[in-house]
Amino acid sequence: MKKILLIAAFAFTVMSAGAQVTAPQASPKSEIEQVIGLTKVEVDYARPAKKGRLVFGDLVPYGKVWRTGANENTIVSFSDDIVIDGQKLPKGEYALYTLPKADAWEVMFYNDTKNWGLPAAWDDSKVVLRTKVTPVTLAKDVEYFTIDVNPIDANNGELLIKWEKTAVPLKFGVPTHEKAMNSIKTSLTENAKASDYYAAGQYIFQSDGDMKQALEYINKSISMQPEAPFYMLRQKSLVQAKLGDKKGAIETAKLSLKAAEQAKNDDYIKMNKDSILQWSK
């Protein structure tokens, strides 16, 4: 009997030692990742709730540096150098701090990310970039503190801080064009594939670059195919139209239409028919 009691006591001790209380966090963690052009932006932060409180000007005082979230540092990272307000922010990860005011926020990127909340001793030399942003008033309350990363276009993005009825939109530029053109320069070698030339021509067209160069690349990609696919022919027709060669664009669009009909691709059938009609006027 004594042996049984000892075994039971040991089992209870092991179970007790391994047990953990699970409960939801007051400020749940959030991790977001967004690609802007060719640049990856990541944000790792905690999201406190409003819970009926007055946030800005009270819970978060005006005129004092704020951790911009809860708990550990809110960390923002960029895979490339970016530009904010004409200032370069080198690639890497930063703690995001702000100084809220009713009419303007100061946003700071701090290169020490190992703090719980604010640093014990603030060091201005660790502020790699600071800028001012005008806040925007929202129509509805945002209950949980939120940071979004939104693409504006291939070359620009927005870091959007939201809580209560306040939004702080911080715009930034990314080096998409520079990276894409460098990729084209280094990739179009003697071993380049048709898809490489097509991608190069398509990018130059979409970025309003040198249309003659775009046409040269598209023609090269087509010449490397036993039978030109409808999407390559479609792209060639668009470049020709942009160069002002509507007659050539129509002829190429007809070839793309025929290939699209054979492939039973309704989207390209419609696009080609619409373009032929438009360019024929």
Side-chain angles (χ1 to χ4, degrees):
M1 182 67 179
K2 185 176 180 180
K3 185 177 180 181
I4 294 172
L5 288 173
L6 284 171
I7 292 171
F10 175 75
F12 177 77
T13 302
V14 171
M15 289 173 62
S16 298
Q20 290 183 332
V21 175
T22 57
Q25 293 180 317
S27 300
K29 291 282 288 181
S30 181
E31 296 179 11
I32 61 172
E33 181 181 308
Q34 177 65 55
V35 175
I36 310 292
L38 297 170
T39 301
K40 183 165 71 173
V41 183
E42 297 177 276
V43 184
D44 187 346
Y45 72 112
R47 304 183 61 191
K50 185 175 180 291
K51 295 180 179 177
R53 299 173 291 184
L54 176 63
V55 176
F56 297 114
D58 189 5
L59 178 64
V60 177
Y62 286 135
K64 290 187 177 181
V65 177
W66 179 40
R67 67 175 67 185
T68 319
N71 305 332
E72 297 173 298
N73 283 159
T74 289
I75 297 177
V76 183
S77 66
F78 303 93
S79 64
D80 296 302
D81 297 350
I82 66 164
V83 176
I84 299 174
D85 247 357
Q87 305 176 70
K88 185 177 86 169
L89 181 66
K91 66 180 180 180
E93 64 174 34
Y94 301 93
L96 183 68
Y97 292 113
T98 51
L99 197 155
K101 293 182 180 179
D103 58 347
W105 280 43
E106 190 170 309
V107 180
M108 293 163 281
F109 292 88
Y110 199 80
N111 65 11
D112 179 359
T113 63
K114 304 301 181 183
N115 298 288
W116 182 274
L118 295 175
W122 181 267
D123 185 349
D124 260 339
S125 70
K126 293 182 177 180
V127 178
V128 180
L129 185 146
R130 68 175 75 218
T131 190
K132 288 187 177 180
V133 181
T134 301
V136 176
T137 301
L138 300 172
K140 294 182 179 180
D141 266 347
V142 175
E143 175 64 21
Y144 278 89
F145 173 71
T146 301
I147 299 177
D148 291 329
V149 181
N150 301 315
I152 295 175
D153 54 36
N155 298 292
N156 298 280
E158 177 186 69
L159 188 73
L160 185 61
I161 299 168
K162 297 183 295 183
W163 203 11
E164 201 174 42
K165 287 187 178 178
T166 297
V168 181
L170 176 65
K171 292 179 172 56
F172 58 90
V174 293
T176 304
H177 186 68
E178 178 186 347
K179 290 187 72 175
M181 294 307 293
N182 283 341
S183 174
I184 289 171
K185 183 178 179 180
T186 57
S187 299
L188 297 187
T189 63
E190 60 181 17
N191 296 320
K193 300 176 182 178
S195 58
D196 296 322
Y197 283 100
Y198 173 72
Q202 185 182 48
Y203 173 74
I204 292 172
F205 170 80
Q206 290 173 344
S207 61
D208 290 322
D210 184 342
M211 290 301 121
K212 289 183 179 179
Q213 183 68 76
L215 183 59
E216 181 181 326
Y217 288 150
I218 295 295
N219 279 334
K220 178 69 174 177
S221 71
I222 289 173
S223 71
M224 297 172 73
Q225 303 289 316
E227 188 173 340
F230 57 84
Y231 60 87
M232 283 188 180
L233 292 167
R234 168 70 181 168
Q235 186 63 65
K236 178 179 177 177
S237 72
L238 294 173
V239 175
Q240 289 173 305
K242 207 160 190 177
L243 283 167
D245 180 12
K246 289 189 176 180
K247 182 178 179 182
I250 290 169
E251 292 305 312
T252 305
K254 287 179 179 178
L255 294 175
S256 177
L257 174 59
K258 183 179 179 181
E261 287 173 339
Q262 290 174 346
K264 295 182 170 52
N265 189 300
D266 292 337
D267 290 338
Y268 275 80
I269 290 171
K270 183 179 187 309
M271 286 190 291
N272 280 304
K273 285 183 176 179
D274 289 346
S275 293
I276 291 168
L277 181 63
Q278 178 187 346
W279 297 332
S280 298
K281 292 179 181 178

